[in-house]
Amino acid sequence: MSRTITDKMQSPDGAIASNNTLQLAMGNGYVYENLYLDTNIPHDSLRKISVTNGSDDYLVTYCKEIVDVLEKHRNRTVGEIIPIRFSDPDAAKQEVQELTALVPKAGDSWLLKIELGTLPDTPPAGGWRFQVWRETSSTIKAVPDGKGGANLVQRTRTVERRLDRKVVTAAVEGVNTFDKLIKGPNINIRTIYLKGDITEIEFEGKRDGQIQSNWKLSKKLNEYLQKVRAQRNGIQTIDGYFIIDPVATGFAYADLMVTNYDEISLKFTAATGGTVEILTDYIKRIA
């Protein structure tokens, strides 16, 4: 028996039609490692994918973002099975793979929402298909008792994997300073994706007015280092992106990027002016 099991979920509420929203209650009593959308709807027509807990937009992403950024970076091709990942299959150790799994607790109200865009005028033979699968693991885990045995304990949600988006609308050719990177004592960054013609990055973190962290990377050196550190994961670069990937090593828990500073500035050198999109994959510690 695998550590995880898969099961087909109920059909979402809502009709598959242009500009409609499909909704599916996820239910408690499971630890969600991943969700998988099995669909013949074109990627461009899956406009927005959200996992919410009441009023909390826990995870908001887009099909093209999953396909062209998150999965492509990990050298995975997406077809009719579209993954929504909570856990990290590329982590080197099991406890880190499951670190970011979604563990509902009593009183939670989890919902998967799919906002459709414009569908093609002619559906495929047999019509449109949309099915959701869940990959889950046990809500109980064994913890060493220090005496050669183990105790069984209920798993709890201690961290949450989230995404943050920012846009620099008027970057200039040359050096730009971005000071809106998500930060805090309970925030650690997994990966930063900068979409734009970026040639160099400099990071500076300050506490009490004093520089506590400072590093600089060129795009060419960064891509080389990422490939060396992540040969086991097979990650790849993406045209048009400067990717800062602290967890490329696979030892995600140890290599997460610290953001516990009063001030953070991310200086990036742009070869051309224009818009720069910044997507940050991070974890938030809640316990």
Side-chain angles (χ1 to χ4, degrees):
M1 174 71 74
S2 170
R3 182 181 69 84
T4 65
I5 59 174
T6 54
D7 195 11
K8 185 183 292 185
M9 301 179 71
Q10 294 181 346
S11 297
D13 294 328
I16 299 178
S18 292
N19 303 311
N20 268 14
T21 297
L22 309 179
Q23 297 190 142
L24 177 62
M26 292 171 57
N28 298 340
Y30 304 93
V31 173
Y32 292 90
E33 303 282 341
N34 301 287
L35 296 176
Y36 300 100
L37 312 183
D38 179 1
T39 182
N40 58 0
I41 297 174
H43 294 163
D44 287 341
S45 297
L46 294 168
R47 187 164 55 199
K48 189 175 181 181
I49 300 170
S50 304
V51 175
T52 65
N53 180 22
S55 61
D56 179 17
D57 291 333
Y58 180 85
L59 179 68
V60 178
T61 186
Y62 305 88
C63 185
K64 295 291 287 182
E65 186 174 80
I66 293 172
V67 173
D68 294 336
V69 182
L70 302 176
E71 292 296 302
K72 187 173 184 178
H73 178 215
R74 297 295 168 175
N75 203 19
R76 290 189 284 262
T77 301
V78 178
E80 293 192 348
I81 302 293
I82 301 164
I84 303 172
R85 300 196 185 278
F86 302 112
S87 59
D88 183 358
D90 300 311
K93 294 184 178 182
Q94 179 180 319
E95 59 265 32
V96 183
Q97 291 178 11
E98 64 186 22
L99 175 71
T100 52
L102 176 56
V103 187
K105 60 183 180 180
D108 284 355
S109 180
W110 294 95
L111 187 69
L112 171 66
K113 295 195 293 187
I114 309 295
E115 296 181 20
L116 302 176
T118 302
L119 298 176
D121 293 334
T122 304
W128 297 115
R129 184 186 76 253
F130 192 93
Q131 180 66 57
V132 182
W133 293 78
R134 64 183 173 226
E135 182 181 10
T136 61
S137 56
S138 175
T139 59
I140 304 296
K141 68 176 180 179
V143 176
D145 63 4
K147 302 176 183 178
N151 295 320
L152 296 180
V153 300
Q154 188 79 25
R155 290 173 66 180
T156 58
R157 188 166 77 249
T158 58
V159 302
E160 298 177 342
R161 184 178 181 182
R162 294 178 176 251
L163 298 172
D164 180 70
R165 294 174 187 80
K166 298 288 192 306
V167 178
V168 179
T169 56
V172 300
E173 181 179 343
V175 178
N176 298 262
T177 300
F178 174 71
D179 61 2
K180 299 295 188 296
L181 193 69
I182 191 163
K183 64 182 177 69
N186 61 338
I187 300 294
N188 290 86
I189 290 175
R190 293 170 44 83
T191 312
I192 305 173
Y193 301 90
L194 293 98
K195 184 179 182 182
D197 193 1
I198 310 300
T199 60
E200 190 170 281
I201 291 285
E202 181 177 6
F203 175 90
E204 185 177 274
K206 290 183 178 180
R207 290 194 198 100
D208 299 322
Q210 301 296 313
I211 296 175
Q212 300 293 320
S213 178
N214 180 260
W215 50 263
K216 183 183 292 186
L217 272 176
S218 70
K219 183 174 183 180
K220 184 179 293 186
L221 176 59
N222 182 51
E223 291 177 352
Y224 169 78
L225 292 175
Q226 295 295 323
K227 289 179 180 179
V228 170
R229 292 170 179 164
Q231 288 179 356
R232 65 174 296 277
N233 292 337
I235 66 172
Q236 63 178 4
T237 58
I238 304 174
D239 289 343
Y241 282 84
F242 191 117
I243 302 174
I244 304 168
D245 188 2
V247 300
T249 57
F251 296 97
Y253 197 66
D255 292 341
L256 290 167
M257 180 174 161
V258 174
T259 69
N260 187 16
Y261 303 106
D262 302 328
E263 303 174 52
I264 287 180
S265 67
L266 193 66
K267 297 179 181 179
F268 60 89
T269 302
T272 56
T275 299
V276 174
E277 300 175 16
I278 302 173
L279 172 66
T280 304
D281 178 352
Y282 71 98
I283 67 168
K284 176 183 179 181
R285 296 189 303 277
I286 61 173

